Amino acid sequence: MDFDARLLWESLPDLLRGAKVTVSLTIVSTLIGLVIGIIGGLCRVSRSRIARGLSFGYVLLFRGVPLLVTLLFLYYGLPAVGITLGSFAVAIIGLSITFGAFASEIVRAGIQSINIGQMRAARSLGMPYWMAMKEVVLPQALRRVLPPLTNEVLTLLKQTALVSVIATADLVRVGLEIMTWRANTFSPFAGVALIYLSLSLPLVGLVTFLERKYRVT
Amino acid sequence: MFSPADVRAISQPTIKICGLSKSYGSIEVLKDISLDVVPGEVVVIIGPSGAGKSTILSCVNHLEPYEKGEIWVEGQLYGPTRARGRRRAHAEAELNQLRRKIGIVFQAYNLFPHLTALENVTLAPIRVLKKPRADAVREGGEQLARVGLSQKADKYPAELSGGQQQRVAIARALAMQPKVMLFDEVTSALDPELVGEVLAVMKQLSNDGMTMMIVTHEMQFAREVADRIYFMDEGKIVESGTAQEIFDNPKQERTQAFLRRTRSL
């Protein structure tokens, strides 16, 4: 074993710089993915056949294709047809659309779990469909799916590690670089693992808290 | 003071249903229903479960589509119309307008659980009628007082008893100042000791002159409030008349049999 505490200590500043990228990717992709997820979830239960079909196809595609393949395709495949995107942009797009696909399914399930009587009551008061969705159904549905959505964010945080293959200087990438330069495997990756763990712990706590708060009684 | 019969003779009905038919797949749940409700009248529909009573109310509010017939509300025709020989659904926007005029209270209350009692009552006036919040809150408070729940304005539905929830639901419908109130078996889900408080509120409404269509299994209550009773069975109106005519002197055998069964309970 080649563990070297001093080397770990020395590489911490670099690792934290990588962690910053990992956190930024997670936050930005979560926000974009949530917007996609809400729109996608609404489309999945829409009365429009086109909206249902498109959202179903989207979810099917990005739940079925590995994120790594999506990233490689965007990064290496698109330039072949003349679209060249920076690695950070590719990372954000890949993570957002994949997260969005999973979030769509969670939001759809949330909407469908709300008793149909809620929609009927809202419509009976003269509310148009979209107003009833926004004021009555969605607030309840989103509250109910907060725990599974947070779980999905936790998965996303760890999935960001994959962007290291497309030259994004995230936590894993920095760890790999230190490993190469210092010819030491164990120390930098112990740091990488510890940082991932300390980033995910608050999310784990949040899930537990939300589950307790919004427990379906 | 005019009796409903006088009103019937001179005024336009609030609701007029002509030849309404509806099917779920191959099962016909409503067969050629015609009835009308004049202003200030309390119409009660009774009959065995599955007779189609609740479905009529859902159709009046266009919460359920129907295949045949016409429903007029205050002289205006709503519902599917024929254009160039093809049947077409009524425009959404007009149905939203229609639903403002018709309050409905459901068996399962259907209060919005994420909102307080007062917020349940003020949501539609603020969002749909665009009332200033302060006015909506004041009027909402009045509606809650009308159903005896001023003290519970800030409680969430989960903190209220079934009877209280149903009274909030009535206040919520009243806050839209409807022309007619529909009651769909509103006491059927309640514990027996909570039924009375809801019926009392409905009775008060009828005394205030509210036009109402009530579907209920509470025969004693039907007898007390109804200006007119319709007895339904298997999707058809079997018999109609005043409470006295129906309860004391039913003409149809099916009505007699139904009333015997409910009395023997």
Side-chain angles (χ1 to χ4, degrees):
Chain A
M1 198 170 85
D2 59 354
F3 183 72
D4 179 345
R6 222 187 68 187
L7 196 151
L8 170 60
W9 180 250
E10 281 170 6
S11 47
L12 256 184
D14 287 327
L15 289 178
L16 286 176
R17 217 169 353 94
K20 229 167 98 183
V21 174
T22 294
V23 170
S24 317
L25 285 172
T26 307
I27 292 174
V28 176
S29 307
T30 298
L31 293 178
I32 300 175
L34 276 182
V35 174
I36 298 176
I38 291 172
I39 296 171
L42 286 169
C43 287
R44 293 279 278 119
V45 300
S46 163
R47 290 169 298 179
S48 150
R49 207 191 239 160
I50 299 168
R52 276 204 314 270
L54 285 176
S55 54
F56 180 70
Y58 160 70
V59 169
L60 203 65
L61 182 62
F62 288 100
R63 280 211 309 181
V65 174
L67 174 60
L68 183 57
V69 175
T70 306
L71 290 171
L72 291 173
F73 177 80
L74 290 173
Y75 194 64
Y76 295 110
L78 283 186
V81 292
I83 305 170
T84 309
L85 298 166
S87 59
F88 194 79
V90 165
I92 292 286
I93 294 171
L95 290 167
S96 300
I97 50 178
T98 305
F99 179 70
F102 284 91
S104 295
E105 277 307 276
I106 294 175
V107 171
R108 175 195 59 77
I111 291 172
Q112 287 176 336
S113 79
I114 302 300
N115 191 307
I116 188 72
Q118 292 288 309
M119 186 49 115
R120 280 167 67 92
R123 298 306 301 276
S124 80
L125 292 164
M127 292 189 203
Y129 176 85
W130 286 109
M131 188 191 285
M133 255 308 168
K134 176 175 159 272
E135 300 289 341
V136 175
V137 178
L138 266 188
Q140 298 179 56
L142 291 182
R143 228 170 272 194
R144 200 170 280 184
V145 299
L146 264 181
L149 272 181
T150 314
N151 249 326
E152 214 45 53
V153 175
L154 188 59
T155 308
L156 174 70
L157 167 70
K158 294 181 292 175
Q159 291 241 19
T160 58
L162 291 172
V163 305
S164 56
V165 301
I166 55 162
T168 307
D170 77 318
L171 186 50
V172 169
R173 185 79 179 193
V174 173
L176 282 169
E177 277 162 10
I178 295 170
M179 177 188 85
T180 317
W181 281 96
R182 305 293 291 263
N184 183 308
T185 335
F186 209 99
S187 317
F189 279 106
V192 168
L194 278 175
I195 292 174
Y196 271 117
L197 191 63
S198 57
L199 288 176
S200 64
L201 281 180
L203 284 171
V204 173
L206 185 62
V207 174
T208 316
F209 169 76
L210 290 172
E211 272 176 354
R212 222 171 276 157
K213 186 165 178 203
Y214 296 124
R215 189 164 26 203
V216 182
T217 45
Chain B
M1 193 64 200
F2 296 106
S3 76
D6 298 330
V7 177
R8 186 174 290 279
I10 57 169
S11 72
Q12 180 184 59
T14 305
I15 292 176
K16 185 174 179 63
I17 301 174
C18 306
L20 175 67
S21 297
K22 173 175 175 60
S23 311
Y24 290 115
S26 61
I27 305 161
E28 222 181 349
V29 287
L30 293 180
K31 299 170 191 160
D32 196 24
I33 301 288
S34 295
L35 63 84
D36 45 44
V37 187
V38 296
E41 190 177 31
V42 177
V43 163
V44 176
I45 307 175
I46 59 171
S49 297
K53 311 181 297 290
S54 298
T55 312
I56 294 184
L57 300 188
S58 295
C59 287
V60 168
N61 214 340
H62 291 271
L63 291 172
E64 296 263 3
Y66 50 89
E67 290 86 39
K68 249 173 70 185
E70 292 176 348
I71 299 178
W72 300 73
V73 178
E74 293 198 307
Q76 202 176 341
L77 175 64
Y78 289 92
T81 45
R82 287 185 181 280
R84 277 176 259 122
R86 278 183 57 201
R87 229 175 122 75
R88 126 194 125 72
H90 214 86
E92 275 283 313
E94 279 177 54
L95 291 185
N96 292 333
Q97 291 289 334
L98 163 75
R99 293 191 184 115
R100 293 182 192 185
K101 293 193 223 169
I102 303 174
I104 183 164
V105 184
F106 303 93
Q107 181 176 349
Y109 335 136
N110 295 345
L111 286 184
F112 307 136
H114 60 303
L115 301 177
T116 64
L118 183 62
E119 287 167 345
N120 263 279
V121 176
T122 57
L123 179 67
I126 291 173
R127 297 285 174 213
V128 178
L129 302 179
K130 312 281 182 224
K131 273 198 183 152
R133 184 171 291 273
D135 294 359
V137 167
R138 184 171 40 76
E139 290 170 21
E142 287 165 14
Q143 297 299 352
L144 282 178
R146 197 169 172 186
V147 298
L149 288 174
S150 298
Q151 309 295 317
K152 305 288 184 185
D154 297 324
K155 296 280 185 218
Y156 285 89
E159 302 171 291
L160 301 174
S161 74
Q164 290 169 339
Q165 289 189 54
Q166 195 57 294
R167 282 147 67 197
V168 173
I170 293 173
R172 178 175 69 178
L174 288 173
M176 292 297 283
Q177 315 279 356
K179 296 288 195 288
V180 54
M181 287 282 285
L182 314 179
F183 292 87
D184 186 2
E185 298 193 25
V186 293
T187 56
S188 299
L190 293 175
D191 292 337
E193 75 268 25
L194 302 177
V195 168
E197 62 188 70
V198 174
L199 295 184
V201 166
M202 291 165 69
K203 202 171 238 173
Q204 185 56 48
L205 278 180
S206 112
N207 291 342
D208 293 348
M210 176 61 78
T211 312
M212 308 204 273
M213 262 181 102
I214 300 171
V215 168
T216 188
H217 289 293
E218 301 285 335
M219 292 304 149
Q220 188 53 39
F221 173 71
R223 189 182 193 122
E224 286 166 30
V225 299
D227 293 314
R228 193 164 190 81
I229 291 191
Y230 288 84
F231 171 71
M232 278 186 74
D233 193 15
E234 294 179 345
K236 279 195 221 142
I237 293 174
V238 176
E239 187 170 358
S240 75
T242 63
Q244 259 182 351
E245 286 166 358
I246 296 291
F247 283 109
D248 298 340
N249 196 12
K251 295 193 177 51
Q252 300 293 323
E253 203 170 315
R254 268 195 285 176
T255 318
Q256 291 162 7
F258 173 74
L259 290 173
R260 260 201 311 278
R261 280 202 305 279
T262 58
R263 276 187 196 121
S264 64
L265 286 178

